[in-house]
Amino acid sequence: MTSRRKFMTMLGGGVILAAGGLAGWAATRDPAGARQPWQTAKALDAGASSDPRIFALSHAILAPNPHNRQPWVAELATPGEITLYFDRSRRLPETDPYDRQLTIGLGCFIELLAMAAAETGHRAEVTLFPDGEPQPLLDERPVAHVRLVADAAVPRDPLFAQVFARHTNREVYDTARPVAAAPLDRIAGLARSSRIAHATAQEDVYALRSLSWKAMEIELRTYRTMKESVDLMRIGKAEIEANPDGISLAGPLMEGLQLIGMMDRSAMLDPGSRVFAQGAAAQKIQFDSAMAFLWLTTTGNTRADQIGAGRDHVRMHLAVTEAGLALQPFSQALQEYEEMAGKYADIRTELGIGEHETLQMFVRLGYGPEIKPAPRWPLETRIRSA
Protein backbone atom coordinates (compact mmCIF):
# COMPACT_ATOMS: atom_id res chain seq x y z
CA MET A 1 0.00 0.00 0.00
CA THR A 2 1.44 3.41 -0.94
CA SER A 3 1.89 6.19 1.61
CA ARG A 4 -0.93 8.13 -0.03
CA ARG A 5 -3.29 5.17 0.22
CA LYS A 6 -2.31 4.58 3.84
CA PHE A 7 -3.03 8.21 4.57
CA MET A 8 -6.43 8.08 2.85
CA THR A 9 -7.29 4.91 4.78
CA MET A 10 -6.39 6.62 8.03
CA LEU A 11 -8.28 9.86 7.30
CA GLY A 12 -10.70 8.62 4.67
CA GLY A 13 -14.02 9.07 6.46
CA GLY A 14 -15.78 9.86 9.68
CA VAL A 15 -16.83 6.24 10.21
CA ILE A 16 -13.27 4.96 9.82
CA LEU A 17 -11.96 7.70 12.11
CA ALA A 18 -14.50 6.90 14.78
CA ALA A 19 -14.06 3.16 14.44
CA GLY A 20 -10.33 3.44 14.85
CA GLY A 21 -10.54 5.86 17.72
CA LEU A 22 -8.64 8.43 15.68
CA ALA A 23 -11.17 11.20 16.16
CA GLY A 24 -10.53 11.21 19.89
CA TRP A 25 -6.80 10.96 19.32
CA ALA A 26 -6.86 13.93 16.96
CA ALA A 27 -8.57 16.07 19.59
CA THR A 28 -5.61 15.59 21.94
CA ARG A 29 -2.86 16.65 19.52
CA ASP A 30 -2.78 20.38 20.23
CA PRO A 31 0.55 21.28 21.96
CA ALA A 32 -1.15 23.74 24.30
CA GLY A 33 1.51 23.27 26.96
CA ALA A 34 4.11 24.80 24.67
CA ARG A 35 2.04 27.98 24.42
CA GLN A 36 1.64 28.43 28.17
CA PRO A 37 4.09 31.37 28.37
CA TRP A 38 1.57 33.44 26.39
CA GLN A 39 -1.13 32.71 28.95
CA THR A 40 1.26 33.35 31.83
CA ALA A 41 2.16 36.79 30.49
CA LYS A 42 -1.47 37.64 29.76
CA ALA A 43 -2.45 36.82 33.36
CA LEU A 44 0.12 39.18 34.90
CA ASP A 45 -1.09 42.44 36.43
CA ALA A 46 1.24 45.31 35.59
CA GLY A 47 0.21 47.21 38.69
CA ALA A 48 0.59 44.29 41.07
CA SER A 49 3.96 42.96 39.91
CA SER A 50 6.46 42.82 42.77
CA ASP A 51 9.35 42.83 40.29
CA PRO A 52 8.75 44.81 37.09
CA ARG A 53 11.57 42.88 35.43
CA ILE A 54 9.49 39.69 35.49
CA PHE A 55 6.54 41.46 33.89
CA ALA A 56 8.80 42.96 31.23
CA LEU A 57 10.63 39.72 30.48
CA SER A 58 7.42 37.68 30.37
CA HIS A 59 6.33 39.81 27.43
CA ALA A 60 9.76 40.13 25.84
CA ILE A 61 10.07 36.34 25.37
CA LEU A 62 7.04 36.52 23.06
CA ALA A 63 9.09 38.46 20.51
CA PRO A 64 9.42 37.21 16.92
CA ASN A 65 12.79 35.69 16.08
CA PRO A 66 14.31 33.61 13.25
CA HIS A 67 13.34 29.93 13.22
CA ASN A 68 11.85 30.58 16.67
CA ARG A 69 15.29 29.98 18.19
CA GLN A 70 14.58 32.30 21.16
CA PRO A 71 18.29 33.18 21.52
CA TRP A 72 17.96 35.32 24.64
CA VAL A 73 19.24 34.78 28.17
CA ALA A 74 18.63 37.31 30.94
CA GLU A 75 20.75 37.76 34.05
CA LEU A 76 19.02 39.36 37.05
CA ALA A 77 21.88 39.49 39.55
CA THR A 78 21.42 43.21 40.31
CA PRO A 79 18.00 44.42 41.52
CA GLY A 80 16.25 46.64 38.98
CA GLU A 81 18.64 45.66 36.21
CA ILE A 82 18.71 43.11 33.40
CA THR A 83 21.76 41.98 31.47
CA LEU A 84 20.85 40.38 28.17
CA TYR A 85 23.07 37.72 26.61
CA PHE A 86 23.01 35.74 23.39
CA ASP A 87 22.60 31.99 23.75
CA ARG A 88 25.29 30.72 21.40
CA SER A 89 23.72 27.27 21.27
CA ARG A 90 20.85 28.83 19.27
CA ARG A 91 22.92 29.78 16.22
CA LEU A 92 21.83 29.28 12.60
CA PRO A 93 25.29 28.92 11.04
CA GLU A 94 24.10 27.98 7.54
CA THR A 95 21.30 30.49 6.88
CA ASP A 96 22.48 33.23 9.26
CA PRO A 97 26.28 32.88 9.13
CA TYR A 98 26.97 36.29 10.71
CA ASP A 99 24.20 36.21 13.38
CA ARG A 100 22.55 39.21 11.70
CA GLN A 101 19.03 37.79 11.78
CA LEU A 102 19.43 36.54 15.33
CA THR A 103 20.59 40.00 16.39
CA ILE A 104 17.42 41.43 14.85
CA GLY A 105 15.46 38.96 16.99
CA LEU A 106 17.25 40.27 20.07
CA GLY A 107 16.21 43.77 19.02
CA CYS A 108 12.58 42.61 18.92
CA PHE A 109 13.05 41.27 22.45
CA ILE A 110 14.47 44.59 23.71
CA GLU A 111 11.61 46.58 22.21
CA LEU A 112 8.92 44.43 23.79
CA LEU A 113 10.80 44.54 27.09
CA ALA A 114 10.83 48.36 27.01
CA MET A 115 7.15 48.54 26.04
CA ALA A 116 6.17 46.16 28.85
CA ALA A 117 8.31 48.05 31.39
CA ALA A 118 6.40 51.22 30.54
CA GLU A 119 3.17 49.44 31.45
CA THR A 120 4.51 49.10 35.00
CA GLY A 121 5.58 52.77 35.14
CA HIS A 122 9.25 52.14 34.41
CA ARG A 123 11.55 53.59 31.80
CA ALA A 124 13.98 51.12 30.27
CA GLU A 125 17.44 52.65 29.98
CA VAL A 126 19.17 50.44 27.40
CA THR A 127 22.93 50.34 26.87
CA LEU A 128 23.84 48.20 23.88
CA PHE A 129 26.97 46.02 23.89
CA PRO A 130 28.46 47.57 27.04
CA ASP A 131 31.64 45.49 26.70
CA GLY A 132 32.04 46.09 22.97
CA GLU A 133 30.23 45.19 19.75
CA PRO A 134 31.09 41.61 18.72
CA GLN A 135 32.09 40.85 15.11
CA PRO A 136 31.87 38.79 12.97
CA LEU A 137 29.76 36.70 15.37
CA LEU A 138 27.99 37.38 18.62
CA ASP A 139 29.95 36.05 21.57
CA GLU A 140 29.80 35.69 25.36
CA ARG A 141 29.76 39.44 25.96
CA PRO A 142 26.41 41.04 26.89
CA VAL A 143 24.10 42.24 24.14
CA ALA A 144 22.56 44.90 26.35
CA HIS A 145 22.35 46.19 29.87
CA VAL A 146 18.90 47.44 30.86
CA ARG A 147 18.09 49.48 33.93
CA LEU A 148 14.43 49.93 34.86
CA VAL A 149 13.85 53.38 36.34
CA ALA A 150 10.56 54.24 38.02
CA ASP A 151 9.00 57.08 36.02
CA ALA A 152 5.32 57.92 36.36
CA ALA A 153 5.56 60.08 33.23
CA VAL A 154 6.87 57.35 30.93
CA PRO A 155 4.44 57.09 27.99
CA ARG A 156 2.67 53.81 27.35
CA ASP A 157 2.80 52.63 23.77
CA PRO A 158 -0.64 51.97 22.24
CA LEU A 159 0.90 49.20 20.13
CA PHE A 160 1.39 47.18 23.31
CA ALA A 161 -2.31 46.25 23.08
CA GLN A 162 -1.44 44.01 20.11
CA VAL A 163 1.22 41.92 21.85
CA PHE A 164 -1.00 38.87 22.35
CA ALA A 165 -2.57 39.10 18.87
CA ARG A 166 0.76 39.42 17.01
CA HIS A 167 1.76 36.14 15.41
CA THR A 168 3.81 35.16 12.38
CA ASN A 169 1.16 33.85 10.02
CA ARG A 170 2.41 31.21 7.57
CA GLU A 171 -1.04 30.24 6.31
CA VAL A 172 -2.50 30.98 2.88
CA TYR A 173 -3.68 34.58 2.54
CA ASP A 174 -6.90 35.67 0.85
CA THR A 175 -6.01 36.40 -2.79
CA ALA A 176 -9.39 38.07 -3.34
CA ARG A 177 -8.54 40.86 -0.87
CA PRO A 178 -5.94 43.38 -2.03
CA VAL A 179 -3.91 45.32 0.52
CA ALA A 180 -4.27 49.10 0.32
CA ALA A 181 -1.25 51.38 0.40
CA ALA A 182 -2.66 53.92 2.87
CA PRO A 183 -2.33 51.82 6.06
CA LEU A 184 1.17 50.79 5.02
CA ASP A 185 2.15 54.44 4.66
CA ARG A 186 1.09 54.97 8.27
CA ILE A 187 3.01 51.88 9.39
CA ALA A 188 6.14 53.08 7.58
CA GLY A 189 5.98 56.24 9.66
CA LEU A 190 6.56 54.24 12.85
CA ALA A 191 10.21 53.57 12.01
CA ARG A 192 12.66 55.09 14.46
CA SER A 193 16.09 54.04 13.21
CA SER A 194 15.18 52.30 9.95
CA ARG A 195 13.47 53.03 6.66
CA ILE A 196 10.28 51.09 5.94
CA ALA A 197 8.87 50.88 2.41
CA HIS A 198 6.19 48.80 0.72
CA ALA A 199 4.84 47.42 -2.54
CA THR A 200 1.12 46.94 -3.22
CA ALA A 201 0.82 47.36 -7.00
CA GLN A 202 -0.05 44.04 -8.65
CA GLU A 203 2.89 44.11 -11.08
CA ASP A 204 5.38 44.75 -8.28
CA VAL A 205 3.83 42.12 -6.03
CA TYR A 206 3.96 39.47 -8.76
CA ALA A 207 7.62 40.25 -9.46
CA LEU A 208 8.51 40.01 -5.76
CA ARG A 209 6.58 36.77 -5.36
CA SER A 210 8.61 35.24 -8.18
CA LEU A 211 11.97 36.48 -6.90
CA SER A 212 11.18 35.36 -3.37
CA TRP A 213 10.20 31.88 -4.49
CA LYS A 214 13.37 31.48 -6.54
CA ALA A 215 15.35 32.32 -3.40
CA MET A 216 13.30 29.79 -1.42
CA GLU A 217 14.06 27.12 -4.02
CA ILE A 218 17.78 27.77 -3.55
CA GLU A 219 17.46 27.29 0.19
CA LEU A 220 15.40 24.12 -0.25
CA ARG A 221 17.87 22.61 -2.72
CA THR A 222 21.05 23.57 -0.88
CA TYR A 223 21.56 20.55 1.33
CA ARG A 224 23.20 22.21 4.32
CA THR A 225 20.68 25.08 4.54
CA MET A 226 17.71 22.77 4.15
CA LYS A 227 19.16 20.38 6.72
CA GLU A 228 19.45 23.24 9.21
CA SER A 229 15.69 23.73 8.96
CA VAL A 230 14.85 20.02 8.94
CA ASP A 231 16.97 19.47 12.05
CA LEU A 232 14.94 22.18 13.80
CA MET A 233 11.54 20.77 12.86
CA ARG A 234 9.39 19.69 15.79
CA ILE A 235 6.71 17.38 14.42
CA GLY A 236 3.68 16.76 16.58
CA LYS A 237 2.70 17.48 20.14
CA ALA A 238 5.36 15.44 21.94
CA GLU A 239 8.30 16.94 20.03
CA ILE A 240 6.95 20.49 20.29
CA GLU A 241 6.28 20.33 24.02
CA ALA A 242 9.69 18.74 24.65
CA ASN A 243 11.45 21.48 22.62
CA PRO A 244 9.18 24.51 22.23
CA ASP A 245 11.43 26.27 19.74
CA GLY A 246 12.43 25.73 16.13
CA ILE A 247 9.93 25.05 13.34
CA SER A 248 6.71 23.66 14.80
CA LEU A 249 4.59 21.35 12.64
CA ALA A 250 1.59 20.78 14.87
CA GLY A 251 -1.76 19.06 14.60
CA PRO A 252 -3.19 15.62 13.86
CA LEU A 253 -2.51 15.95 10.12
CA MET A 254 1.22 16.39 10.66
CA GLU A 255 1.40 13.61 13.21
CA GLY A 256 -0.64 11.35 10.95
CA LEU A 257 1.70 12.02 8.03
CA GLN A 258 4.66 11.24 10.27
CA LEU A 259 3.09 7.97 11.42
CA ILE A 260 2.72 6.74 7.84
CA GLY A 261 6.19 7.83 6.79
CA MET A 262 5.27 10.97 4.83
CA MET A 263 7.21 13.27 7.16
CA ASP A 264 10.46 11.36 6.93
CA ARG A 265 13.32 13.78 7.55
CA SER A 266 15.75 12.08 5.18
CA ALA A 267 13.16 12.24 2.39
CA MET A 268 12.64 15.94 3.09
CA LEU A 269 16.30 16.45 2.18
CA ASP A 270 16.10 14.53 -1.09
CA PRO A 271 15.02 16.76 -4.00
CA GLY A 272 14.07 13.63 -5.94
CA SER A 273 11.60 12.36 -3.35
CA ARG A 274 7.84 12.75 -3.36
CA VAL A 275 8.02 14.09 0.20
CA PHE A 276 10.35 16.88 -0.93
CA ALA A 277 8.13 17.76 -3.91
CA GLN A 278 4.98 17.84 -1.80
CA GLY A 279 6.67 19.96 0.85
CA ALA A 280 7.89 22.46 -1.74
CA ALA A 281 4.46 22.65 -3.35
CA ALA A 282 2.87 23.33 0.05
CA GLN A 283 5.32 26.14 0.71
CA LYS A 284 4.87 27.73 -2.71
CA ILE A 285 1.24 28.44 -1.86
CA GLN A 286 2.49 30.90 0.78
CA PHE A 287 4.46 32.79 -1.87
CA ASP A 288 1.60 32.75 -4.38
CA SER A 289 -0.78 34.28 -1.82
CA ALA A 290 1.41 37.26 -0.88
CA MET A 291 -0.74 40.33 -1.50
CA ALA A 292 1.78 43.06 -0.56
CA PHE A 293 5.29 43.40 0.77
CA LEU A 294 7.00 45.52 3.41
CA TRP A 295 10.74 45.86 3.84
CA LEU A 296 13.02 47.54 6.31
CA THR A 297 16.49 48.96 5.67
CA THR A 298 19.20 50.64 7.72
CA THR A 299 21.94 53.01 6.60
CA GLY A 300 24.57 50.86 8.30
CA ASN A 301 24.95 47.26 9.36
CA THR A 302 26.53 47.46 12.80
CA ARG A 303 25.18 45.35 15.62
CA ALA A 304 23.45 48.47 16.93
CA ASP A 305 21.84 48.96 13.49
CA GLN A 306 20.61 45.37 13.58
CA ILE A 307 19.16 45.82 17.08
CA GLY A 308 17.45 49.00 15.89
CA ALA A 309 16.04 47.11 12.91
CA GLY A 310 14.62 44.51 15.27
CA ARG A 311 13.01 47.14 17.46
CA ASP A 312 11.40 48.72 14.40
CA HIS A 313 10.40 45.34 12.97
CA VAL A 314 8.38 44.28 16.00
CA ARG A 315 6.69 47.68 16.09
CA MET A 316 5.89 47.27 12.40
CA HIS A 317 4.47 43.82 13.08
CA LEU A 318 2.31 45.08 15.93
CA ALA A 319 0.98 47.85 13.70
CA VAL A 320 0.28 45.37 10.90
CA THR A 321 -1.70 43.31 13.42
CA GLU A 322 -3.60 46.41 14.52
CA ALA A 323 -4.52 47.02 10.87
CA GLY A 324 -6.06 43.54 10.64
CA LEU A 325 -3.34 42.18 8.37
CA ALA A 326 -1.18 39.07 8.56
CA LEU A 327 2.61 39.05 8.17
CA GLN A 328 5.32 36.48 7.43
CA PRO A 329 9.04 37.19 6.89
CA PHE A 330 10.48 36.03 3.56
CA SER A 331 14.11 36.06 4.64
CA GLN A 332 15.63 33.69 2.09
CA ALA A 333 16.89 36.29 -0.41
CA LEU A 334 18.44 38.33 2.42
CA GLN A 335 20.65 35.49 3.63
CA GLU A 336 24.39 35.80 3.32
CA TYR A 337 25.72 32.50 2.06
CA GLU A 338 27.41 31.77 -1.24
CA GLU A 339 24.56 30.09 -3.13
CA MET A 340 22.20 32.99 -2.35
CA ALA A 341 24.51 35.76 -3.58
CA GLY A 342 22.70 36.18 -6.91
CA LYS A 343 19.24 36.55 -5.38
CA TYR A 344 20.68 38.76 -2.62
CA ALA A 345 21.79 41.16 -5.36
CA ASP A 346 18.55 40.77 -7.33
CA ILE A 347 16.25 41.70 -4.47
CA ARG A 348 18.29 44.78 -3.65
CA THR A 349 17.97 45.88 -7.26
CA GLU A 350 14.25 45.10 -7.41
CA LEU A 351 13.58 47.09 -4.23
CA GLY A 352 15.87 49.98 -5.13
CA ILE A 353 18.10 49.52 -2.10
CA GLY A 354 20.84 52.14 -2.00
CA GLU A 355 24.51 51.28 -2.18
CA HIS A 356 25.08 52.10 1.49
CA GLU A 357 21.84 50.60 2.80
CA THR A 358 21.35 47.14 4.30
CA LEU A 359 18.13 45.26 3.67
CA GLN A 360 17.33 43.89 7.12
CA MET A 361 13.76 42.56 6.84
CA PHE A 362 11.43 41.64 3.98
CA VAL A 363 7.91 40.36 4.70
CA ARG A 364 4.76 39.35 2.88
CA LEU A 365 1.37 40.76 3.85
CA GLY A 366 -2.23 39.80 3.32
CA TYR A 367 -5.45 38.86 5.04
CA GLY A 368 -4.93 35.52 6.73
CA PRO A 369 -6.89 33.17 8.97
CA GLU A 370 -6.71 33.34 12.73
CA ILE A 371 -3.84 31.26 14.09
CA LYS A 372 -2.54 30.15 17.48
CA PRO A 373 0.61 31.53 19.15
CA ALA A 374 4.01 29.99 18.51
CA PRO A 375 5.56 27.79 21.20
CA ARG A 376 7.84 29.42 23.76
CA TRP A 377 10.25 28.23 26.42
CA PRO A 378 9.04 29.22 29.91
CA LEU A 379 10.64 32.39 31.25
CA GLU A 380 12.49 30.54 34.03
CA THR A 381 14.48 28.63 31.43
CA ARG A 382 15.68 31.91 29.92
CA ILE A 383 17.03 33.40 33.18
CA ARG A 384 20.65 32.77 34.07
CA SER A 385 20.37 33.83 37.71
CA ALA A 386 17.81 35.58 39.86
Side-chain angles (χ1 to χ4, degrees):
M1 182 181 289
T2 66
S3 294
R4 184 179 296 276
R5 287 176 61 200
K6 287 187 210 174
F7 179 62
M8 293 306 293
T9 299
M10 185 175 71
L11 299 181
V15 174
I16 295 174
L17 282 168
L22 291 175
W25 171 81
T28 69
R29 306 328 298 158
D30 180 43
R35 293 193 296 271
Q36 185 56 42
W38 292 82
Q39 300 304 318
T40 299
K42 188 179 292 188
L44 294 176
D45 183 341
S49 177
S50 60
D51 187 341
R53 297 177 300 176
I54 299 303
F55 184 90
L57 288 167
S58 295
H59 291 80
I61 63 170
L62 309 181
N65 60 101
H67 273 18
N68 197 27
R69 293 302 282 144
Q70 303 167 54
W72 36 71
V73 177
E75 182 179 281
L76 307 181
T78 303
E81 299 181 5
I82 300 167
T83 303
L84 176 64
Y85 292 90
F86 171 64
D87 183 344
R88 289 173 288 164
S89 70
R90 304 303 175 96
R91 279 207 162 97
L92 298 167
E94 303 301 340
T95 57
D96 188 22
Y98 304 112
D99 296 339
R100 181 188 62 82
Q101 296 176 83
L102 288 162
T103 305
I104 290 172
L106 291 164
C108 294
F109 179 97
I110 290 170
E111 181 64 19
L112 286 190
L113 188 152
M115 292 172 70
E119 295 292 307
T120 68
H122 289 80
R123 183 178 70 258
E125 294 184 346
V126 180
T127 303
L128 295 178
F129 305 103
D131 294 341
E133 192 172 277
Q135 293 289 356
L137 297 173
L138 296 175
D139 56 28
E140 72 282 355
R141 289 175 289 178
V143 171
H145 179 264
V146 183
R147 190 165 73 97
L148 299 188
V149 180
D151 183 354
V154 66
R156 296 183 178 183
D157 196 317
L159 289 175
F160 186 76
Q162 303 301 322
V163 165
F164 299 114
R166 182 219 62 79
H167 308 305
T168 298
N169 194 322
R170 297 177 176 83
E171 300 299 319
V172 179
Y173 297 168
D174 188 345
T175 55
R177 295 185 68 185
V179 175
L184 304 189
D185 288 335
R186 291 193 293 272
I187 290 168
L190 293 171
R192 292 170 170 171
S193 60
S194 312
R195 178 176 71 88
I196 297 174
H198 61 76
T200 57
Q202 188 176 78
E203 181 180 356
D204 296 334
V205 169
Y206 284 1
L208 290 169
R209 283 181 185 176
S210 176
L211 195 161
S212 300
W213 175 246
K214 289 174 183 176
M216 182 76 241
E217 284 190 301
I218 291 171
E219 182 171 313
L220 291 174
R221 293 177 180 277
T222 302
Y223 181 84
R224 68 182 192 284
T225 58
M226 181 58 174
K227 187 174 188 300
E228 185 170 78
S229 292
V230 170
D231 286 348
L232 290 172
M233 287 180 181
R234 320 301 189 203
I235 304 172
K237 179 179 179 179
E239 289 188 14
I240 294 169
E241 292 195 335
N243 289 288
D245 59 13
I247 301 168
S248 298
L249 302 177
L253 175 60
M254 292 299 175
E255 291 197 49
L257 290 171
Q258 185 181 43
L259 286 171
I260 61 173
M262 292 183 68
M263 293 294 285
D264 179 76
R265 286 174 167 85
S266 60
M268 291 179 190
L269 293 168
D270 178 6
S273 73
R274 175 179 294 182
V275 171
F276 182 96
Q278 291 175 336
Q283 285 193 289
K284 191 172 187 299
I285 297 172
Q286 300 172 345
F287 291 77
D288 290 343
S289 69
M291 298 303 291
F293 291 93
L294 275 171
W295 58 93
L296 185 155
T297 63
T298 56
T299 54
N301 194 30
T302 66
R303 292 295 179 200
D305 290 326
Q306 294 162 9
I307 292 289
R311 297 189 70 162
D312 280 347
H313 171 66
V314 75
R315 292 178 59 76
M316 179 179 80
H317 198 166
L318 292 168
V320 163
T321 304
E322 185 178 53
L325 290 161
L327 176 156
Q328 179 189 4
F330 276 0
S331 299
Q332 290 75 29
L334 283 61
Q335 293 172 164
E336 300 149 283
Y337 57 92
E338 182 181 359
E339 292 86 346
M340 195 60 73
K343 293 300 167 224
Y344 184 89
D346 288 347
I347 196 167
R348 289 176 58 87
T349 300
E350 184 69 27
L351 299 178
I353 305 301
E355 180 181 354
H356 301 293
E357 286 185 297
T358 299
L359 179 59
Q360 301 285 7
M361 292 297 301
F362 177 70
V363 306
R364 72 159 175 151
L365 299 175
Y367 292 93
E370 185 175 344
I371 60 170
K372 293 180 178 180
R376 285 293 185 273
W377 284 100
L379 175 58
E380 58 268 23
T381 69
R382 302 286 81 209
I383 296 177
R384 179 178 292 182
S385 62

